[in-house]
Amino acid sequence: MANGQWFPQDWPERIRALADGTLTPVVPKRAATVMLLKDTTAGPVVHMLRRRASMAFAGGAYAYPGGGVDPRDDDHRIRWAGPTRAWWAERLGVDEAQAQAIVCAAVRETYEEAGVLLAGPAPDSVVGDTTGEDWEADRQALVARDVSFAGFLERRGLVLRSDLLGAWTRWITPEFEPRRYDTWFFVAALPEGQRTRNASTEADRTVWIGPAEAAASYDKGELLMMPPTIATLRQLTPYGTAGEALEAAPARDLTPVLARARLDGDEIVLSWPGHDEFTKHIPTGGAPA
């Protein structure tokens, strides 16, 4: 492997099945993930977690906190700070109810997997330390889906700080994958007074790492990543602070990135539009090149 690109062994077979019409694509589920940044003297670093090797999907790969949207957060009106739901709906390309649920998913997953909560008792505040026993009980209830995120915010009297998020990019899992997600990627800065921890049962390691350093480790084959992860890391490298990245987010193109697979003679060509580095040439009877 020349780099750290994650490539499932069953992809060639599934791609061939899609090409010959024997595989019906599953409908992707809505999801959100957050590139959590903090400033250091050497520049911004991003919080990443390594998925356990035992995970069926992308085991051993480095990723950001993220996960699926909870439909219960679609239409439960919550206290909201920052751009309106209508603004977010236009930005994300969905209706207002879905926009709220997607933003809720981004904030919830950051809390569930990193212990960081982008919410506060007032529109201009954020909570402090969230490591107490009562906070942990609430986090566990969210993980178990015993309570919706909207319900959690309401009970705690908290305002969701949508202004602390910036929508960065959108990727849709390839049509030949058995598990598919329509994922919105966000950027956010670590709130003052909060700290990250490995709160995810799906991860065995977490790191704060500079985007350029992480990308270099991927290029050397030292860090395993999926295409959206390394692509977004490269996109973060020009920014000197977390604030600069957040300021750049509103102008980012959110046209979904979806892999394409086509037959070309005796090989399958797998590509991601706009991301030539991920192109794979797969012999009809062999491994990717």
Side-chain angles (χ1 to χ4, degrees):
M1 180 171 61
N3 55 33
Q5 184 175 345
W6 178 72
F7 191 94
Q9 295 301 308
D10 65 346
W11 267 13
E13 179 182 350
R14 297 187 64 85
I15 291 170
R16 285 191 288 270
L18 180 66
D20 64 25
T22 59
L23 175 66
T24 301
V26 299
V27 176
K29 298 179 179 179
R30 298 172 299 166
T33 190
V34 177
M35 299 177 286
L36 188 63
L37 303 171
K38 73 175 179 179
D39 291 324
T40 71
T41 55
V45 290
V46 62
H47 181 71
M48 303 189 74
L49 52 85
R50 183 176 65 187
R51 293 173 59 82
R52 294 185 183 278
S54 59
M55 297 296 293
F57 181 76
Y62 281 78
Y64 313 114
V69 168
D70 186 343
R72 294 177 295 178
D73 294 332
D74 279 54
D75 52 14
H76 186 138
R77 300 290 284 190
I78 61 174
R79 296 174 67 197
W80 185 276
T84 65
R85 292 170 178 81
W87 184 93
W88 277 108
E90 182 175 358
R91 179 74 180 115
L92 302 178
V94 296
D95 61 35
E96 289 189 31
Q98 291 189 75
Q100 174 178 287
I102 292 164
V103 172
C104 277
V107 178
R108 187 197 73 240
E109 288 290 339
T110 305
Y111 181 47
E112 287 184 9
E113 299 194 344
V116 170
L117 183 58
L118 304 177
D124 59 352
S125 67
V126 291
V127 298
D129 185 6
T130 62
T131 59
E133 291 184 5
D134 58 335
W135 285 106
E136 179 59 19
D138 281 346
R139 194 193 66 81
Q140 291 285 0
L142 287 167
V143 171
R145 297 297 181 263
D146 292 336
V147 62
S148 70
F149 191 64
F152 158 76
L153 293 175
E154 187 174 78
R155 186 179 66 78
R156 283 270 182 180
L158 296 174
V159 182
L160 185 145
R161 292 288 306 276
S162 80
D163 55 320
L164 300 182
L165 287 169
W168 191 260
T169 190
R170 180 181 178 184
W171 287 63
I172 300 178
T173 309
E175 292 181 329
F176 45 82
E177 274 278 29
R179 295 181 181 88
R180 299 189 65 212
Y181 299 94
D182 184 352
T183 305
W184 284 263
F185 285 70
F186 295 84
V187 290
L190 179 68
E192 185 176 352
Q194 294 193 38
R195 60 183 186 270
T196 58
R197 57 195 174 92
N198 183 7
S200 173
T201 59
E202 298 179 355
D204 59 11
R205 183 185 184 217
T206 62
V207 295
W208 282 103
I209 188 170
E213 179 186 352
S217 295
Y218 166 90
D219 290 336
K220 296 174 186 176
E222 297 171 353
L223 296 185
L224 188 67
M225 299 180 200
M226 294 176 284
T229 309
I230 180 59
T232 48
L233 282 171
R234 297 200 198 284
Q235 292 162 359
L236 288 173
T237 55
Y239 301 100
T241 67
E244 288 180 9
L246 277 165
E247 289 174 7
R252 296 272 311 166
D253 182 9
L254 293 187
T255 302
V257 178
L258 175 64
R260 296 173 179 168
R262 61 181 174 86
L263 291 171
D264 186 4
D266 60 353
E267 68 178 9
I268 297 167
V269 180
L270 175 60
S271 63
W272 281 259
H275 300 273
D276 292 343
E277 72 167 296
F278 306 129
T279 299
K280 292 289 184 182
H281 296 265
I282 307 168
T284 52

